Amino acid sequence: MSNPVIRTDLPELNLLHRGKVRDMYEIPGYEDKLLMIATDRISAYDVVMDDPIIDKGKVLTQISLFWFDLLADIVPNHLLSADVDQYPEVCHQYRDQLEGRSMLVRRTKVMPIECIVRGYISGSFWSAYKKDTTVCGFALPENMQESDQFPQPLFTPSTKAEQGLHDENISVAQMEEIIGKDIADKMADISVRLYEKASEYARSKGIIIADTKFELGMVDGELLLIDEVLTPDSSRFWPMDVYKPGQGQPSFDKQFLRDYLSSLDWDKQPPPPPLPAEITEKTAARYKEAQERLTA
């Protein structure tokens, strides 16, 4: 393991955005490109923890790079390079913060919709289904159990919330009102095809992708796959060998951390509680196992 990167500091670049995990920089003289860095920060319940998950940013980046390559026949992506030597020279001095956890990408017009594809009923969708079997405009089968597989993958868009707020599930009809029917149809088709190909591959590695979130951007009228792709932060990965409908599933993500936090007397508002080493180490191990299974 390496030293954790919690907060990047690249003074000769322009910091555009510091998210829950990623720091995004503009490079002077290269306004059509962006530098995206995955830190070792981790959030739960929309609160960023003070304690890092060592090498998490590297794991997320390497998983995304794998999927960008595997899925490139479905939709082009924004990746230009993940090799620091190929970045503009001004970036080279920051190699210790960039190596293995950064990507030089094309700058796009980010679409204002989160593209969520669900293959199994879980999370907020399961909570909504228990109240009404029609969820986000989908009339779902009666008597589904938690973690059941849908007859076919569902495209369930959501709005993008400001940091600290929750995204809101919307219907496809609402999505069409926001961005227009033609582009909405294209985004839905791309997202489902990405999910289907990725799911088939992941199953061959013993992993069920229960659901995932894609981000799409546009350059010169062309949609590109952007941001992170099919990582434990943006997806629910379940081990196939212990999958059992009718209950929640163990997963290769921060559910282990969420379960620990739920056991505390904490109101899920900042400041976050300190995390014991055992929790951060076990969380790091789950992320690493997902990477090793998928990319081996």
Side-chain angles (χ1 to χ4, degrees):
M1 288 191 176
S2 55
N3 293 326
V5 173
I6 302 173
R7 182 184 179 94
T8 60
D9 181 23
L10 284 57
E12 291 192 39
L13 307 185
N14 302 323
L15 178 66
L16 292 181
H17 178 69
R18 203 183 296 278
K20 294 174 186 173
V21 175
R22 283 167 183 75
D23 293 348
M24 191 78 73
Y25 286 86
E26 184 180 68
I27 305 169
Y30 297 87
E31 279 68 31
D32 60 337
K33 300 175 177 62
L34 294 173
L35 186 63
M36 189 168 76
I37 309 164
T39 71
D40 294 330
R41 298 192 293 266
I42 192 167
S43 68
Y45 305 109
D46 289 318
V47 177
V48 178
M49 302 290 110
D50 291 334
D51 302 281
I53 305 300
I54 294 177
D55 281 346
K56 173 176 174 277
K58 290 185 176 182
V59 168
L60 297 181
T61 300
Q62 299 310 308
I63 291 176
S64 289
L65 291 172
F66 169 81
W67 289 118
F68 278 139
D69 182 60
L70 186 73
L71 302 173
D73 61 327
I74 294 176
V75 61
N77 58 68
H78 68 164
L79 176 68
L80 294 172
S81 179
D83 182 351
V84 177
D85 288 333
Q86 296 180 8
Y87 295 178
E89 189 171 349
V90 68
C91 302
H92 296 175
Q93 62 191 304
Y94 306 120
R95 182 181 299 273
D96 61 330
Q97 299 178 67
L98 302 178
E99 200 81 70
R101 63 172 70 248
S102 65
M103 293 187 282
L104 184 69
V105 301
R106 295 177 69 185
R107 193 168 195 161
T108 70
K109 176 186 176 184
V110 180
M111 304 306 294
I113 302 292
E114 302 275 10
C115 296
I116 301 169
V117 185
R118 303 175 189 271
Y120 296 74
I121 190 163
S122 184
S124 63
F125 231 66
W126 170 244
S127 299
Y129 175 83
K130 288 189 290 184
K131 300 173 185 174
D132 186 341
T133 57
T134 297
V135 184
C136 291
F138 291 100
L140 301 175
E142 299 281 345
N143 302 316
M144 291 191 77
Q145 301 182 82
E146 183 178 8
S147 305
D148 269 347
Q149 186 173 14
F150 292 118
Q152 63 277 327
L154 302 181
F155 176 74
T156 65
S158 76
T159 58
K160 290 186 179 181
E162 295 296 322
Q163 186 163 335
L165 302 176
H166 291 284
D167 297 340
E168 179 184 350
N169 291 331
I170 58 174
S171 66
V172 172
Q174 288 172 299
M175 175 182 173
E176 292 173 355
E177 291 177 7
I178 295 170
I179 60 172
K181 179 171 172 46
D182 285 350
I183 195 68
D185 286 347
K186 288 179 183 177
M187 291 174 68
D189 177 65
I190 288 169
S191 299
V192 171
R193 286 195 291 137
L194 289 170
Y195 174 82
E196 288 176 337
K197 181 170 182 177
S199 292
E200 182 179 0
Y201 172 82
R203 290 183 75 88
S204 75
K205 300 296 185 179
I207 290 178
I208 292 170
I209 304 177
D211 53 50
T212 194
K213 174 186 72 176
F214 299 111
E215 296 252 20
L216 296 172
M218 187 172 284
V219 175
D220 299 329
E222 180 181 40
L223 285 170
L224 302 182
L225 184 60
I226 66 170
D227 199 56
E228 65 176 331
V229 184
L230 290 154
T231 72
D233 270 11
S234 64
S235 318
R236 282 187 177 88
F237 292 157
W238 296 339
M240 280 180 59
D241 56 354
V242 294
Y243 168 67
K244 185 178 180 181
Q247 61 188 35
Q249 309 297 314
S251 56
F252 295 99
D253 60 14
K254 53 190 171 187
Q255 191 60 47
F256 184 82
L257 171 62
R258 290 194 198 99
D259 291 345
Y260 167 74
L261 293 171
S262 294
S263 72
L264 304 179
D265 183 18
W266 176 52
D267 62 3
K268 299 180 175 59
Q269 299 293 322
L275 302 180
E278 177 189 11
I279 299 299
T280 61
E281 288 167 4
K282 287 186 175 179
T283 301
R286 296 298 278 172
Y287 275 78
K288 189 67 176 175
E289 184 180 352
Q291 178 194 0
E292 290 173 347
R293 282 210 197 188
L294 289 170
T295 66

PDB file of all heavy atoms in Angstrom, residues 191-219:
ATOM      1  N   SER A 191     -26.982   3.024 -22.183  1.00  0.00           N
ATOM      2  CA  SER A 191     -26.820   2.595 -20.792  1.00  0.00           C
ATOM      3  C   SER A 191     -27.183   1.124 -20.614  1.00  0.00           C
ATOM      4  O   SER A 191     -26.464   0.368 -19.939  1.00  0.00           O
ATOM      5  CB  SER A 191     -27.673   3.469 -19.869  1.00  0.00           C
ATOM      6  OG  SER A 191     -27.273   4.819 -19.944  1.00  0.00           O
ATOM      7  N   VAL A 192     -28.300   0.703 -21.214  1.00  0.00           N
ATOM      8  CA  VAL A 192     -28.725  -0.695 -21.066  1.00  0.00           C
ATOM      9  C   VAL A 192     -27.734  -1.623 -21.759  1.00  0.00           C
ATOM     10  O   VAL A 192     -27.388  -2.690 -21.229  1.00  0.00           O
ATOM     11  CB  VAL A 192     -30.157  -0.886 -21.611  1.00  0.00           C
ATOM     12  CG1 VAL A 192     -30.517  -2.375 -21.661  1.00  0.00           C
ATOM     13  CG2 VAL A 192     -31.154  -0.136 -20.726  1.00  0.00           C
ATOM     14  N   ARG A 193     -27.238  -1.237 -22.932  1.00  0.00           N
ATOM     15  CA  ARG A 193     -26.268  -2.097 -23.631  1.00  0.00           C
ATOM     16  C   ARG A 193     -24.956  -2.189 -22.850  1.00  0.00           C
ATOM     17  O   ARG A 193     -24.336  -3.257 -22.795  1.00  0.00           O
ATOM     18  CB  ARG A 193     -26.037  -1.576 -25.050  1.00  0.00           C
ATOM     19  CG  ARG A 193     -27.213  -1.857 -25.978  1.00  0.00           C
ATOM     20  CD  ARG A 193     -26.845  -1.669 -27.439  1.00  0.00           C
ATOM     21  NE  ARG A 193     -26.617  -0.273 -27.762  1.00  0.00           N
ATOM     22  CZ  ARG A 193     -25.628   0.177 -28.520  1.00  0.00           C
ATOM     23  NH1 ARG A 193     -24.729  -0.662 -29.024  1.00  0.00           N
ATOM     24  NH2 ARG A 193     -25.513   1.462 -28.791  1.00  0.00           N
ATOM     25  N   LEU A 194     -24.531  -1.089 -22.248  1.00  0.00           N
ATOM     26  CA  LEU A 194     -23.338  -1.132 -21.404  1.00  0.00           C
ATOM     27  C   LEU A 194     -23.542  -2.103 -20.241  1.00  0.00           C
ATOM     28  O   LEU A 194     -22.674  -2.929 -19.935  1.00  0.00           O
ATOM     29  CB  LEU A 194     -23.019   0.266 -20.864  1.00  0.00           C
ATOM     30  CG  LEU A 194     -22.496   1.302 -21.854  1.00  0.00           C
ATOM     31  CD1 LEU A 194     -22.470   2.690 -21.201  1.00  0.00           C
ATOM     32  CD2 LEU A 194     -21.095   0.935 -22.353  1.00  0.00           C
ATOM     33  N   TYR A 195     -24.690  -1.976 -19.594  1.00  0.00           N
ATOM     34  CA  TYR A 195     -24.976  -2.837 -18.439  1.00  0.00           C
ATOM     35  C   TYR A 195     -25.014  -4.308 -18.847  1.00  0.00           C
ATOM     36  O   TYR A 195     -24.447  -5.180 -18.160  1.00  0.00           O
ATOM     37  CB  TYR A 195     -26.305  -2.432 -17.797  1.00  0.00           C
ATOM     38  CG  TYR A 195     -26.727  -3.371 -16.697  1.00  0.00           C
ATOM     39  CD1 TYR A 195     -26.214  -3.243 -15.412  1.00  0.00           C
ATOM     40  CD2 TYR A 195     -27.619  -4.417 -16.944  1.00  0.00           C
ATOM     41  CE1 TYR A 195     -26.578  -4.132 -14.411  1.00  0.00           C
ATOM     42  CE2 TYR A 195     -27.984  -5.299 -15.951  1.00  0.00           C
ATOM     43  CZ  TYR A 195     -27.467  -5.157 -14.682  1.00  0.00           C
ATOM     44  OH  TYR A 195     -27.824  -6.039 -13.690  1.00  0.00           O
ATOM     45  N   GLU A 196     -25.663  -4.608 -19.964  1.00  0.00           N
ATOM     46  CA  GLU A 196     -25.807  -6.005 -20.372  1.00  0.00           C
ATOM     47  C   GLU A 196     -24.441  -6.633 -20.675  1.00  0.00           C
ATOM     48  O   GLU A 196     -24.165  -7.764 -20.264  1.00  0.00           O
ATOM     49  CB  GLU A 196     -26.733  -6.093 -21.588  1.00  0.00           C
ATOM     50  CG  GLU A 196     -28.189  -5.827 -21.237  1.00  0.00           C
ATOM     51  CD  GLU A 196     -29.108  -5.820 -22.446  1.00  0.00           C
ATOM     52  OE1 GLU A 196     -28.616  -5.593 -23.583  1.00  0.00           O
ATOM     53  OE2 GLU A 196     -30.327  -6.029 -22.259  1.00  0.00           O
ATOM     54  N   LYS A 197     -23.584  -5.909 -21.378  1.00  0.00           N
ATOM     55  CA  LYS A 197     -22.273  -6.467 -21.696  1.00  0.00           C
ATOM     56  C   LYS A 197     -21.427  -6.610 -20.435  1.00  0.00           C
ATOM     57  O   LYS A 197     -20.765  -7.638 -20.231  1.00  0.00           O
ATOM     58  CB  LYS A 197     -21.547  -5.580 -22.707  1.00  0.00           C
ATOM     59  CG  LYS A 197     -20.175  -6.143 -23.091  1.00  0.00           C
ATOM     60  CD  LYS A 197     -19.542  -5.429 -24.266  1.00  0.00           C
ATOM     61  CE  LYS A 197     -18.199  -6.080 -24.628  1.00  0.00           C
ATOM     62  NZ  LYS A 197     -17.585  -5.467 -25.820  1.00  0.00           N
ATOM     63  N   ALA A 198     -21.451  -5.586 -19.588  1.00  0.00           N
ATOM     64  CA  ALA A 198     -20.667  -5.644 -18.357  1.00  0.00           C
ATOM     65  C   ALA A 198     -21.165  -6.750 -17.438  1.00  0.00           C
ATOM     66  O   ALA A 198     -20.368  -7.463 -16.815  1.00  0.00           O
ATOM     67  CB  ALA A 198     -20.720  -4.297 -17.649  1.00  0.00           C
ATOM     68  N   SER A 199     -22.483  -6.914 -17.343  1.00  0.00           N
ATOM     69  CA  SER A 199     -23.049  -7.937 -16.459  1.00  0.00           C
ATOM     70  C   SER A 199     -22.651  -9.326 -16.900  1.00  0.00           C
ATOM     71  O   SER A 199     -22.317 -10.189 -16.078  1.00  0.00           O
ATOM     72  CB  SER A 199     -24.571  -7.826 -16.429  1.00  0.00           C
ATOM     73  OG  SER A 199     -24.977  -6.648 -15.788  1.00  0.00           O
ATOM     74  N   GLU A 200     -22.698  -9.561 -18.217  1.00  0.00           N
ATOM     75  CA  GLU A 200     -22.312 -10.876 -18.729  1.00  0.00           C
ATOM     76  C   GLU A 200     -20.845 -11.173 -18.411  1.00  0.00           C
ATOM     77  O   GLU A 200     -20.501 -12.282 -17.985  1.00  0.00           O
ATOM     78  CB  GLU A 200     -22.539 -10.927 -20.237  1.00  0.00           C
ATOM     79  CG  GLU A 200     -22.206 -12.278 -20.851  1.00  0.00           C
ATOM     80  CD  GLU A 200     -22.459 -12.318 -22.344  1.00  0.00           C
ATOM     81  OE1 GLU A 200     -22.888 -11.296 -22.921  1.00  0.00           O
ATOM     82  OE2 GLU A 200     -22.202 -13.386 -22.945  1.00  0.00           O
ATOM     83  N   TYR A 201     -20.000 -10.164 -18.591  1.00  0.00           N
ATOM     84  CA  TYR A 201     -18.583 -10.359 -18.275  1.00  0.00           C
ATOM     85  C   TYR A 201     -18.401 -10.606 -16.774  1.00  0.00           C
ATOM     86  O   TYR A 201     -17.688 -11.528 -16.362  1.00  0.00           O
ATOM     87  CB  TYR A 201     -17.767  -9.138 -18.692  1.00  0.00           C
ATOM     88  CG  TYR A 201     -16.342  -9.224 -18.198  1.00  0.00           C
ATOM     89  CD1 TYR A 201     -15.387  -9.962 -18.889  1.00  0.00           C
ATOM     90  CD2 TYR A 201     -15.968  -8.633 -16.991  1.00  0.00           C
ATOM     91  CE1 TYR A 201     -14.093 -10.089 -18.405  1.00  0.00           C
ATOM     92  CE2 TYR A 201     -14.675  -8.757 -16.502  1.00  0.00           C
ATOM     93  CZ  TYR A 201     -13.753  -9.482 -17.210  1.00  0.00           C
ATOM     94  OH  TYR A 201     -12.479  -9.624 -16.721  1.00  0.00           O
ATOM     95  N   ALA A 202     -19.039  -9.783 -15.942  1.00  0.00           N
ATOM     96  CA  ALA A 202     -18.844  -9.888 -14.496  1.00  0.00           C
ATOM     97  C   ALA A 202     -19.294 -11.244 -13.967  1.00  0.00           C
ATOM     98  O   ALA A 202     -18.659 -11.818 -13.072  1.00  0.00           O
ATOM     99  CB  ALA A 202     -19.592  -8.761 -13.782  1.00  0.00           C
ATOM    100  N   ARG A 203     -20.380 -11.764 -14.520  1.00  0.00           N
ATOM    101  CA  ARG A 203     -20.857 -13.082 -14.071  1.00  0.00           C
ATOM    102  C   ARG A 203     -19.813 -14.161 -14.339  1.00  0.00           C
ATOM    103  O   ARG A 203     -19.688 -15.123 -13.571  1.00  0.00           O
ATOM    104  CB  ARG A 203     -22.188 -13.437 -14.743  1.00  0.00           C
ATOM    105  CG  ARG A 203     -23.355 -12.589 -14.265  1.00  0.00           C
ATOM    106  CD  ARG A 203     -24.660 -13.030 -14.907  1.00  0.00           C
ATOM    107  NE  ARG A 203     -25.144 -14.268 -14.326  1.00  0.00           N
ATOM    108  CZ  ARG A 203     -25.933 -14.348 -13.252  1.00  0.00           C
ATOM    109  NH1 ARG A 203     -26.309 -13.243 -12.628  1.00  0.00           N
ATOM    110  NH2 ARG A 203     -26.340 -15.506 -12.801  1.00  0.00           N
ATOM    111  N   SER A 204     -19.053 -13.985 -15.430  1.00  0.00           N
ATOM    112  CA  SER A 204     -17.992 -14.962 -15.717  1.00  0.00           C
ATOM    113  C   SER A 204     -16.881 -14.891 -14.680  1.00  0.00           C
ATOM    114  O   SER A 204     -16.055 -15.814 -14.581  1.00  0.00           O
ATOM    115  CB  SER A 204     -17.422 -14.723 -17.119  1.00  0.00           C
ATOM    116  OG  SER A 204     -16.578 -13.580 -17.154  1.00  0.00           O
ATOM    117  N   LYS A 205     -16.855 -13.810 -13.902  1.00  0.00           N
ATOM    118  CA  LYS A 205     -15.866 -13.636 -12.837  1.00  0.00           C
ATOM    119  C   LYS A 205     -16.480 -13.818 -11.445  1.00  0.00           C
ATOM    120  O   LYS A 205     -15.862 -13.478 -10.438  1.00  0.00           O
ATOM    121  CB  LYS A 205     -15.238 -12.242 -12.931  1.00  0.00           C
ATOM    122  CG  LYS A 205     -14.532 -11.971 -14.253  1.00  0.00           C
ATOM    123  CD  LYS A 205     -13.339 -12.899 -14.447  1.00  0.00           C
ATOM    124  CE  LYS A 205     -12.564 -12.566 -15.699  1.00  0.00           C
ATOM    125  NZ  LYS A 205     -11.380 -13.442 -15.882  1.00  0.00           N
ATOM    126  N   GLY A 206     -17.723 -14.321 -11.417  1.00  0.00           N
ATOM    127  CA  GLY A 206     -18.357 -14.604 -10.137  1.00  0.00           C
ATOM    128  C   GLY A 206     -18.978 -13.409  -9.449  1.00  0.00           C
ATOM    129  O   GLY A 206     -19.211 -13.442  -8.238  1.00  0.00           O
ATOM    130  N   ILE A 207     -19.273 -12.352 -10.213  1.00  0.00           N
ATOM    131  CA  ILE A 207     -19.841 -11.142  -9.641  1.00  0.00           C
ATOM    132  C   ILE A 207     -21.160 -10.797 -10.331  1.00  0.00           C
ATOM    133  O   ILE A 207     -21.252 -10.804 -11.568  1.00  0.00           O
ATOM    134  CB  ILE A 207     -18.865  -9.951  -9.770  1.00  0.00           C
ATOM    135  CG1 ILE A 207     -17.666 -10.154  -8.831  1.00  0.00           C
ATOM    136  CG2 ILE A 207     -19.554  -8.624  -9.455  1.00  0.00           C
ATOM    137  CD1 ILE A 207     -16.629  -9.056  -8.918  1.00  0.00           C
ATOM    138  N   ILE A 208     -22.179 -10.511  -9.553  1.00  0.00           N
ATOM    139  CA  ILE A 208     -23.450  -9.990 -10.050  1.00  0.00           C
ATOM    140  C   ILE A 208     -23.394  -8.459  -9.956  1.00  0.00           C
ATOM    141  O   ILE A 208     -23.077  -7.912  -8.896  1.00  0.00           O
ATOM    142  CB  ILE A 208     -24.629 -10.508  -9.204  1.00  0.00           C
ATOM    143  CG1 ILE A 208     -24.820 -12.011  -9.410  1.00  0.00           C
ATOM    144  CG2 ILE A 208     -25.916  -9.764  -9.548  1.00  0.00           C
ATOM    145  CD1 ILE A 208     -25.800 -12.634  -8.422  1.00  0.00           C
ATOM    146  N   ILE A 209     -23.685  -7.785 -11.058  1.00  0.00           N
ATOM    147  CA  ILE A 209     -23.847  -6.327 -11.009  1.00  0.00           C
ATOM    148  C   ILE A 209     -25.334  -6.063 -10.815  1.00  0.00           C
ATOM    149  O   ILE A 209     -26.129  -6.156 -11.748  1.00  0.00           O
ATOM    150  CB  ILE A 209     -23.322  -5.644 -12.283  1.00  0.00           C
ATOM    151  CG1 ILE A 209     -21.855  -6.001 -12.529  1.00  0.00           C
ATOM    152  CG2 ILE A 209     -23.485  -4.123 -12.160  1.00  0.00           C
ATOM    153  CD1 ILE A 209     -21.284  -5.414 -13.809  1.00  0.00           C
ATOM    154  N   ALA A 210     -25.716  -5.768  -9.591  1.00  0.00           N
ATOM    155  CA  ALA A 210     -27.133  -5.573  -9.282  1.00  0.00           C
ATOM    156  C   ALA A 210     -27.667  -4.305  -9.927  1.00  0.00           C
ATOM    157  O   ALA A 210     -28.778  -4.283 -10.473  1.00  0.00           O
ATOM    158  CB  ALA A 210     -27.332  -5.525  -7.768  1.00  0.00           C
ATOM    159  N   ASP A 211     -26.893  -3.245  -9.851  1.00  0.00           N
ATOM    160  CA  ASP A 211     -27.260  -1.991 -10.511  1.00  0.00           C
ATOM    161  C   ASP A 211     -26.014  -1.130 -10.635  1.00  0.00           C
ATOM    162  O   ASP A 211     -24.990  -1.396  -9.990  1.00  0.00           O
ATOM    163  CB  ASP A 211     -28.373  -1.245  -9.761  1.00  0.00           C
ATOM    164  CG  ASP A 211     -28.061  -1.014  -8.285  1.00  0.00           C
ATOM    165  OD1 ASP A 211     -26.957  -0.509  -7.988  1.00  0.00           O
ATOM    166  OD2 ASP A 211     -28.908  -1.318  -7.432  1.00  0.00           O
ATOM    167  N   THR A 212     -26.093  -0.125 -11.468  1.00  0.00           N
ATOM    168  CA  THR A 212     -24.939   0.757 -11.663  1.00  0.00           C
ATOM    169  C   THR A 212     -25.398   2.101 -12.184  1.00  0.00           C
ATOM    170  O   THR A 212     -26.549   2.256 -12.630  1.00  0.00           O
ATOM    171  CB  THR A 212     -23.919   0.120 -12.626  1.00  0.00           C
ATOM    172  OG1 THR A 212     -22.683   0.824 -12.554  1.00  0.00           O
ATOM    173  CG2 THR A 212     -24.432   0.132 -14.065  1.00  0.00           C
ATOM    174  N   LYS A 213     -24.490   3.047 -12.141  1.00  0.00           N
ATOM    175  CA  LYS A 213     -24.781   4.410 -12.595  1.00  0.00           C
ATOM    176  C   LYS A 213     -23.746   4.816 -13.631  1.00  0.00           C
ATOM    177  O   LYS A 213     -22.537   4.685 -13.398  1.00  0.00           O
ATOM    178  CB  LYS A 213     -24.715   5.376 -11.398  1.00  0.00           C
ATOM    179  CG  LYS A 213     -24.859   6.846 -11.749  1.00  0.00           C
ATOM    180  CD  LYS A 213     -24.627   7.717 -10.535  1.00  0.00           C
ATOM    181  CE  LYS A 213     -23.160   7.733 -10.133  1.00  0.00           C
ATOM    182  NZ  LYS A 213     -22.855   8.632  -9.010  1.00  0.00           N
ATOM    183  N   PHE A 214     -24.213   5.280 -14.779  1.00  0.00           N
ATOM    184  CA  PHE A 214     -23.330   5.803 -15.816  1.00  0.00           C
ATOM    185  C   PHE A 214     -23.494   7.307 -15.934  1.00  0.00           C
ATOM    186  O   PHE A 214     -24.572   7.841 -15.669  1.00  0.00           O
ATOM    187  CB  PHE A 214     -23.648   5.172 -17.185  1.00  0.00           C
ATOM    188  CG  PHE A 214     -23.472   3.688 -17.240  1.00  0.00           C
ATOM    189  CD1 PHE A 214     -24.581   2.849 -17.369  1.00  0.00           C
ATOM    190  CD2 PHE A 214     -22.219   3.109 -17.172  1.00  0.00           C
ATOM    191  CE1 PHE A 214     -24.434   1.474 -17.429  1.00  0.00           C
ATOM    192  CE2 PHE A 214     -22.059   1.727 -17.230  1.00  0.00           C
ATOM    193  CZ  PHE A 214     -23.172   0.911 -17.352  1.00  0.00           C
ATOM    194  N   GLU A 215     -22.402   7.964 -16.345  1.00  0.00           N
ATOM    195  CA  GLU A 215     -22.443   9.385 -16.671  1.00  0.00           C
ATOM    196  C   GLU A 215     -22.102   9.538 -18.143  1.00  0.00           C
ATOM    197  O   GLU A 215     -21.159   8.903 -18.640  1.00  0.00           O
ATOM    198  CB  GLU A 215     -21.414  10.150 -15.824  1.00  0.00           C
ATOM    199  CG  GLU A 215     -21.690  10.120 -14.341  1.00  0.00           C
ATOM    200  CD  GLU A 215     -22.167  11.461 -13.808  1.00  0.00           C
ATOM    201  OE1 GLU A 215     -22.635  12.286 -14.621  1.00  0.00           O
ATOM    202  OE2 GLU A 215     -22.059  11.659 -12.602  1.00  0.00           O
ATOM    203  N   LEU A 216     -22.836  10.385 -18.836  1.00  0.00           N
ATOM    204  CA  LEU A 216     -22.580  10.650 -20.241  1.00  0.00           C
ATOM    205  C   LEU A 216     -22.373  12.147 -20.446  1.00  0.00           C
ATOM    206  O   LEU A 216     -22.998  12.977 -19.785  1.00  0.00           O
ATOM    207  CB  LEU A 216     -23.742  10.162 -21.111  1.00  0.00           C
ATOM    208  CG  LEU A 216     -23.984   8.643 -21.109  1.00  0.00           C
ATOM    209  CD1 LEU A 216     -25.278   8.307 -21.839  1.00  0.00           C
ATOM    210  CD2 LEU A 216     -22.820   7.901 -21.756  1.00  0.00           C
ATOM    211  N   GLY A 217     -21.469  12.463 -21.356  1.00  0.00           N
ATOM    212  CA  GLY A 217     -21.225  13.844 -21.743  1.00  0.00           C
ATOM    213  C   GLY A 217     -21.292  13.960 -23.248  1.00  0.00           C
ATOM    214  O   GLY A 217     -21.359  12.944 -23.969  1.00  0.00           O
ATOM    215  N   MET A 218     -21.257  15.184 -23.755  1.00  0.00           N
ATOM    216  CA  MET A 218     -21.380  15.381 -25.194  1.00  0.00           C
ATOM    217  C   MET A 218     -20.279  16.298 -25.702  1.00  0.00           C
ATOM    218  O   MET A 218     -19.965  17.308 -25.076  1.00  0.00           O
ATOM    219  CB  MET A 218     -22.762  15.950 -25.526  1.00  0.00           C
ATOM    220  CG  MET A 218     -23.049  16.037 -27.014  1.00  0.00           C
ATOM    221  SD  MET A 218     -24.763  16.493 -27.369  1.00  0.00           S
ATOM    222  CE  MET A 218     -25.595  14.936 -27.025  1.00  0.00           C
ATOM    223  N   VAL A 219     -19.709  15.926 -26.839  1.00  0.00           N
ATOM    224  CA  VAL A 219     -18.746  16.750 -27.558  1.00  0.00           C
ATOM    225  C   VAL A 219     -19.133  16.736 -29.033  1.00  0.00           C
ATOM    226  O   VAL A 219     -19.248  15.650 -29.624  1.00  0.00           O
ATOM    227  CB  VAL A 219     -17.295  16.242 -27.388  1.00  0.00           C
ATOM    228  CG1 VAL A 219     -16.340  17.050 -28.260  1.00  0.00           C
ATOM    229  CG2 VAL A 219     -16.854  16.306 -25.942  1.00  0.00           C
TER     230      VAL A 219
END
